[in-house]
Amino acid sequence: MTLEERRKKEILLIDMACLNEFIKDGRREEKIRKFQQLCYGLRERRDGYKVKIIPVVIGYLGGGMKRLIDDIRELFNDEKDLHGIIKECL
């Protein structure tokens, strides 16, 4: 998923995966490496924009939720919005 915040001049690349608990470790870093080239290209085409990769990797038994909450917190400044979003995700 790609989100563009024009006022902040920011592009967010969000890649989501729900994996087996035993293979989810290390996938976050793999996703970041996978999208590095795309980030460079977006920065070149969109002068002045920041590009962030947000790899959402959770296990099918719920492992990785703490990191997911941290990633959502990074996206939203308002704690009220954060709690509502987390509640809807669960």
Side-chain angles (χ1 to χ4, degrees):
M1 177 180 356
T2 303
L3 301 174
E4 182 178 330
E5 177 62 57
R6 290 184 179 146
R7 287 179 286 171
K8 292 182 181 179
K9 291 191 131 189
E10 189 173 75
I11 298 172
L12 304 172
L13 300 173
I14 303 170
D15 187 34
M16 298 170 268
C18 183
L19 304 167
N20 180 316
E21 295 290 335
F22 302 107
I23 66 169
K24 71 176 183 53
D25 295 335
R27 296 299 169 122
R28 182 178 174 77
E29 293 77 17
E30 181 182 309
K31 289 183 175 295
I32 290 171
R33 283 191 306 273
K34 178 178 153 183
F35 285 99
Q36 286 297 334
Q37 189 63 37
L38 179 59
C39 285
Y40 295 133
L42 285 171
R43 285 187 196 111
E44 286 179 2
R45 283 184 264 149
R46 303 301 301 262
D47 191 35
Y49 273 70
K50 291 181 184 177
V51 181
K52 289 185 183 178
I53 303 168
I54 304 190
V56 178
V57 179
I58 58 172
Y60 62 76
L61 297 175
M65 291 302 291
K66 182 179 181 335
R67 184 61 208 197
L68 174 61
I69 291 168
D70 292 341
D71 288 336
I72 293 171
R73 184 172 279 124
E74 184 179 324
L75 292 173
F76 298 94
N77 296 327
D78 187 354
E79 284 289 319
K80 183 179 175 185
D81 289 342
L82 172 66
H83 292 295
I85 291 164
I86 292 170
K87 191 173 182 179
E88 285 184 30
C89 289
L90 300 175

